């Protein structure tokens, strides 16, 4: 019998509680009181419990009714969300947005964008994944993610469209206890070659046989950036890091800048398959990240002046 429960019965139950009587519930739902009484009575019969105590002038929830009221509200809320989401999807909005973010991209920026996204698209789940190098491109190429916030690589991806977001400055650093820390001025390449360079390894095959930013023949390859950061601070080796991740370390003296070569940066872009351009939610996220990048550039320029 439970399979025959209708939304009209559940809505009548909730309205009777909220309005205080069956007659008031009828007015709210534009139904006669007898219809409200009939729906609630049949609901009680199907559930096998009394929802209301009718011995007083106005119906009062029974203990069972109190417990089942929360379930009833959840059901109606879920149905309303289903209808709203279906309406948005019919208008072209993505059912969900899956995004892979390069490990070098500032987490703080993504957090701000994700919060704004949740407010703008409360019915569209945002799925975020973090990867590095070619492994960050792979989910977009494999159609597991519809959008990627990715760093430029010395590899061509003809099937992807990219829209530039910002540049992430990279700096070469080492622990103050590292032998390279004693150098003042430009460090000769022959000295770099004597020491282990910590390098982020690619967990995909896209960069197979290619090295990116490797300046020493002696390398240790690490799978994630947080481990590389910890190794650098412990003096295990030297290597590059996004400036925003080591800015406080440099200020505190737990890492020092190495004068290895001219400063360089990673260009970050929003990337998606040319055959599957972003829908309204994806488009909004790209434009929002562009606006954040523009605000950051203006802030840097004003400080420089």
């Amino acid at each position: 019998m439970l399979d025959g429960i209708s939304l009209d019965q559940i809505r009548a139950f909730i309205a009777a509680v909220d309005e205080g009587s069956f007659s008031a519930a009828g007015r709210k739902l534009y139904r006669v009181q007898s219809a409200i009484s009939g729906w609630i009575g049949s609901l009680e019969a199907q559930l096998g419990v009394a929802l209301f105590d009718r011995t007083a002038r106005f119906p009062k929830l029974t203990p069972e009714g109190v417990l089942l009221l929360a379930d009833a509200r959840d059901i109606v809320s879920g149905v309303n969300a289903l209808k709203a989401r279906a309406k948005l999807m019919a208008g072209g909005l993505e059912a969900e947005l899956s995004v892979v973010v390069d490990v070098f991209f500032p987490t703080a920026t993504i957090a701000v964008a994700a919060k704004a996204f949740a407010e703008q698209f409360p019915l569209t789940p945002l799925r975020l994944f973090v990867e590095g190098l070619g492994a960050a491109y792979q989910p977009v190429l494999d159609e597991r993610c519809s959008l990627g916030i990715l760093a430029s690589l010395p590899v061509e991806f003809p099937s992807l469209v990219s829209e530039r977001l910002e540049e992430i400055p990279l700096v070469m650093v080492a622990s103050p206890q590292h032998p390279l820390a004693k150098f003042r001025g430009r460090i000769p390449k022959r000295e770099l070659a004597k020491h282990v360079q910590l390098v982020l390894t690619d967990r995909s095959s896209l960069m197979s046989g290619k090295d990116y930013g490797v300046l020493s023949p002696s390398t240790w390859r690490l799978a994630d950036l947080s481990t590389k950061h910890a190794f650098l601070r412990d003096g295990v080796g030297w290597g590059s890091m996004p400036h925003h991740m080591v800015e406080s370390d440099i200020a505190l003296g737990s890492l020092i800048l190495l004068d290895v070569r001219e400063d360089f940066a990673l260009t970050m872009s929003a990337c998606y398959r040319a055959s599957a351009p972003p829908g309204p939610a994806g488009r909004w996220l790209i434009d929002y990240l562009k606006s954040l990048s523009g605000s950051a550039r203006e802030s840097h320029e004003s400080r420089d002046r």
Side-chain angles (χ1 to χ4, degrees), residues 104-123:
F104 285 92
F105 196 80
T107 302
T109 301
I110 284 295
V112 169
K115 182 178 179 180
F117 182 92
E119 295 174 354
Q120 187 74 18
F121 301 97
L123 298 177

Side-chain angles (χ1 to χ4, degrees), residues 87-236:
K87 183 178 180 181
L88 292 171
M89 290 167 61
L93 184 67
E94 300 94 323
E96 70 172 32
L97 185 63
S98 296
V99 182
V100 58
V101 181
D102 192 282
V103 69
F104 285 92
F105 196 80
T107 302
T109 301
I110 284 295
V112 169
K115 182 178 179 180
F117 182 92
E119 295 174 354
Q120 187 74 18
F121 301 97
L123 298 177
T124 302
L126 181 63
R127 314 293 188 196
L128 289 175
F129 305 89
V130 178
E131 286 288 357
L133 302 173
Y137 279 80
Q138 201 70 62
V140 181
L141 296 170
D142 294 346
E143 303 184 15
R144 287 180 283 126
C145 288
S146 56
L147 180 64
I149 309 303
L150 308 176
S152 58
L153 294 177
V155 180
E156 295 293 329
F157 298 99
S159 63
L160 300 184
V161 174
S162 63
E163 299 184 29
R164 188 180 182 281
L165 296 175
E166 63 176 297
E167 288 195 341
I168 305 297
L170 298 180
V171 291
M172 291 293 182
V173 293
S175 164
Q177 287 73 46
H178 193 277
L180 291 176
K182 68 181 181 181
F183 282 87
R184 295 294 179 265
R186 181 65 58 89
I187 302 175
K189 288 185 178 181
R190 64 179 180 276
E191 291 298 327
L192 295 175
K194 296 177 183 178
H195 304 281
V196 171
Q197 181 181 357
L198 301 180
V199 179
L200 191 67
T201 191
D202 194 342
R203 289 189 279 198
S204 77
S205 60
L206 294 177
M207 291 281 288
S208 178
K210 299 181 178 67
D211 278 327
Y212 194 50
V214 175
L215 303 178
S216 170
S218 178
T219 60
W220 280 19
R221 298 180 182 272
L222 306 172
D224 65 270
L225 205 55
S226 60
T227 302
K228 181 179 178 180
H229 187 192
F231 277 31
L232 287 167
R233 289 176 52 138
D234 287 343
V236 177

